[in-house]
Structure formats: C-alpha cells, structure tokens
C-alpha cells in the first residue's frame, strides 16, 4: 500500500514554479493542439462553411467520405508517395550519416554541405524543381538527353509528377541523417574492434552491429517519415495544383481544397479526423511489428 505524500510549503512552492516555467507549453498545447482537435471532431458531424452557423448532419460527412471517389484517389496518391519517399529517404539519410561520420579532416565541411539542402524551405525547392524538370530547358532533360532520352514533361504526367515530388522529398534527408549520425556515435567502437579481431568484414560489421543497434533510430525516423508522408501538401500545391488528372491530389491537399476552396469545413474536419485515426493506427502497427526487430540494449 502506497502511503500518502505530505506536501510541505516548499514542495508546493516548487510545484508552482515548475508549472509557471512550463505554462507556455501547457497554454500552447491547450490552445493549438487539444482545442483544435476537439473542435475538428465536433465540426466533422456538421455542415459548416466558416461563415454561417453549423448545421448538424450526424454521420453524413463520414458516409460521404467513404463514398467519395476523390478521397480514394487522394489515398492512392498519398500511399504511392509514402511507400516510395519514406524508404528512399531512410536509405539516403543513413548513407549521408555514414559519410558524415567518416574520420577525415574536412568532415565538418562535408557535414555542412550534406545538410545544407535541408535548410532550404520546401516551397522554395518546389519552384526550383519546376525549372529543373522543365521539358524545354530544364537541367534534368538536358542531362538525360546526353544519353539519348527524349525531353519529357514530367509534371504533365500523373506518375511522373508524383515521382518528381518523391525526388524533391529526398532533399530533406539531411535532417534524417543527423539523427542517424547521433545513433552511430552512440555505438561503442569496442564492438567494431572486437569484430575486426574475429575477422569480420565491414559489411558483416554493418549488418550485425550497426543496423541492429541503430534499430531504435530507424524506428523513430520511420514513424516521423510516415507522418510527414501522410501530410504531403506543399509540392502538390505549388508545382501541379493537384494535377495532372488529379495525379498529385494528395489527401492533405484534398482536405485543404474542401476547407478553403469549397468552404466545406465540416467535411474537411471529417477528413482530418480520419487522417488522424489512420496515422494513429499505422503508428501502432509499426510499433507492434518493430518489437521483434528493435534492440534497445547494448551489450558490451
């Protein structure tokens, strides 16, 4: 049986000071996270334009959602993007981290150069990519033309446009690389020395030591990558406006259009609730599967 705690005057004063220090976070969480979440859930059951009073509809928005062909089109586009951008991003991030971790004199310069693209805002990179893949004078077509590949309007093709956005996402791999680099630095070098003494090759050491001990970092980057993948929006908004033929109509972009182009905030709230639940379920599935592969302990 746990005995009750007797709070002294000093304990209460320290508690008040602690709450005072974290009050900005508490206020921000209540005002910008919890309240919008509850408000969106309530409005998802109503027809609401943002200008008139909401009209209660019950579950009609959700019934419409699951029968809306554009919703399923946006889901298909989002899944297409996520299953390509996230794994590729993990691989590139790990390769960059291995390059950043090399024991060379100019390593600080390399780290800066490899991380620098991640500092460029995504909307700015979207405009740059429009020029790079231009079918007439873009660098990409000029380069591929050296190998006999004809000029292609990648943003004019649904699959090509999605692949361009997948490629654009890889410029943010520097953030993932920094997290991988922190994980690599946390692996004891004695394990690699012991492996070399036993005659293990670099590939064997990577597969048997590096990857298992990086598994918590891989899981973290996977979860954050999937979260970002489900919320892809900016490149489609700037580069293609959801086209061509709804080929880049991602889920977040369709939700945005319903809220701010069609003034259907209630329906957009229903879309946001489903996205929240889908992300939660996906995270739980990943965590459940990862329990078999993630190693949180380092045995010296």
């Amino acid at each position: 049986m746990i005995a009750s705690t007797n709070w002294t005057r000093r304990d209460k004063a320290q508690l008040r000071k602690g709450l005072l220090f974290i009050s900005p976070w508490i206020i921000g969480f209540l005002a910008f996270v919890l309240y919008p979440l509850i408000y969106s859930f309530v409005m998802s059951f109503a027809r609401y334009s943002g200008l008139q009073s909401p009209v209660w509809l019950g579950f009609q928005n959700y019934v419409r959602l699951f029968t809306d062909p554009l919703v399923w089109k946006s889901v298909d586009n989002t899944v297409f993007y996520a299953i390509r951008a996230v794994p590729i991003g993990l691989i590139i991030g790990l390769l960059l981290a291995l390059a950043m971790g090399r024991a060379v004199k100019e390593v600080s310069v390399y780290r800066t150069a490899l991380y620098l693209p991640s500092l460029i805002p995504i909307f700015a990179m979207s405009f740059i990519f429009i020029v790079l893949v231009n079918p007439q004078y873009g660098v990409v077509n000029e380069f591929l033309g050296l190998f006999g590949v004809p000029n292609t309007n990648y943003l004019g093709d649904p699959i090509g446009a999605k692949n361009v956005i997948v490629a654009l996402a890889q410029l943010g791999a520097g953030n993932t690389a920094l997290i991988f680099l922190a994980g690599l630095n946390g692996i004891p070098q004695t394990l690699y020395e012991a492996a070399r003494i036993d005659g293990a090759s670099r590939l064997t050491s990577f597969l048997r030591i590096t990857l298992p001990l990086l598994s918590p970092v891989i899981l973290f980057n996977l979860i954050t990558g999937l979260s970002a993948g489900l919320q892809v929006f900016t490149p489609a908004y700037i580069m293609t406006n959801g086209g061509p033929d709804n080929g880049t109509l991602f889920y977040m972009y369709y939700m945005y259009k319903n809220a701010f182009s069609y003034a259907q905030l209630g329906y957009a709230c229903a879309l946001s609730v489903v996205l929240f639940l889908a992300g939660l379920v996906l995270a739980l599935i990943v965590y459940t599967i990862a329990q078999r592969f993630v190693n949180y302990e380092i045995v010296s």
Side-chain angles (χ1 to χ4, degrees):
M1 187 173 179
I2 301 177
S4 59
T5 302
N6 294 321
W7 289 82
T8 65
R9 182 177 299 178
R10 181 178 179 182
D11 294 333
K12 294 179 180 178
Q14 290 179 341
L15 177 62
R16 287 194 294 268
K17 290 179 181 179
L19 292 175
L20 180 63
F21 274 108
I22 66 173
S23 60
W25 180 89
I26 294 176
I27 295 173
F29 174 79
L30 294 176
F32 301 112
V33 177
L34 186 60
Y35 173 74
L37 186 64
I38 297 175
Y39 184 81
S40 296
F41 179 74
V42 173
M43 287 297 103
S44 69
F45 296 98
R47 181 172 64 248
Y48 182 49
S49 65
L51 301 175
Q52 300 174 341
S53 299
V55 178
W56 181 258
L57 296 178
F59 290 94
Q60 290 185 30
N61 283 330
Y62 291 95
V63 174
R64 174 189 170 188
L65 187 154
F66 286 104
T67 57
D68 187 348
L70 287 181
V71 169
W72 295 108
K73 180 66 175 179
S74 66
V75 170
D76 180 67
N77 291 332
T78 304
V79 171
F80 180 99
Y81 171 84
I83 63 176
R84 287 164 175 77
V86 176
I88 295 174
L90 289 176
I91 295 172
I92 293 178
L94 181 56
L95 293 176
L96 290 179
L98 293 173
M100 291 178 176
R102 295 295 296 269
V104 295
K105 184 178 180 180
E106 304 84 1
V107 65
S108 60
V109 178
Y110 296 151
R111 289 178 180 177
T112 302
L114 294 173
Y115 181 72
L116 194 59
S118 301
L119 298 178
I120 302 176
I122 189 66
F123 69 87
M125 288 306 306
S126 298
F127 284 112
I128 294 174
F129 259 63
I130 292 175
V131 178
L132 292 178
V133 300
N134 186 281
Q136 296 179 348
Y137 51 80
V139 175
V140 173
N141 276 297
E142 291 288 340
F143 175 76
L144 295 178
L146 298 176
F147 302 95
V149 179
N151 286 0
T152 304
N153 183 11
Y154 295 101
L155 295 180
D157 174 70
I159 301 298
K162 284 194 283 283
N163 286 329
V164 169
I165 296 176
V166 169
L168 172 62
Q170 307 317 314
L171 294 179
N175 293 318
T176 304
L178 283 184
I179 300 174
F180 273 129
L181 181 61
L184 289 172
N185 291 336
I187 300 177
Q189 293 300 312
T190 53
L191 297 179
Y192 295 107
E193 295 172 359
R196 284 196 296 269
I197 294 173
D198 290 338
S201 64
R202 288 187 177 183
L203 179 60
T204 301
S205 297
F206 178 78
L207 296 176
R208 298 296 181 88
I209 298 176
T210 305
L211 281 183
L213 296 183
L214 272 183
S215 54
V217 181
I218 295 174
L219 175 62
F220 174 81
N221 283 330
L222 176 61
I223 293 295
T224 55
L226 287 174
S227 177
L230 294 179
Q231 300 178 64
V232 57
F233 168 78
T234 305
Y237 177 77
I238 294 176
M239 300 172 68
T240 59
N241 197 29
D245 193 24
N246 293 323
T248 57
L249 183 68
F250 298 115
Y251 193 90
M252 277 290 292
Y253 185 61
Y254 186 52
M255 184 170 66
Y256 166 84
K257 291 186 70 174
N258 276 282
F260 300 106
S261 298
Y262 309 147
Q264 298 182 3
L265 291 177
Y267 187 51
C269 286
L271 289 168
S272 68
V273 171
V274 172
L275 178 62
F276 172 77
L277 294 176
L280 183 62
V281 171
L282 183 60
L284 291 175
I285 293 174
V286 172
Y287 274 117
T288 301
I289 297 175
Q291 290 179 355
R292 301 182 179 181
F293 307 102
V294 177
N295 178 28
Y296 293 101
E297 297 181 358
I298 298 178
V299 180
S300 303

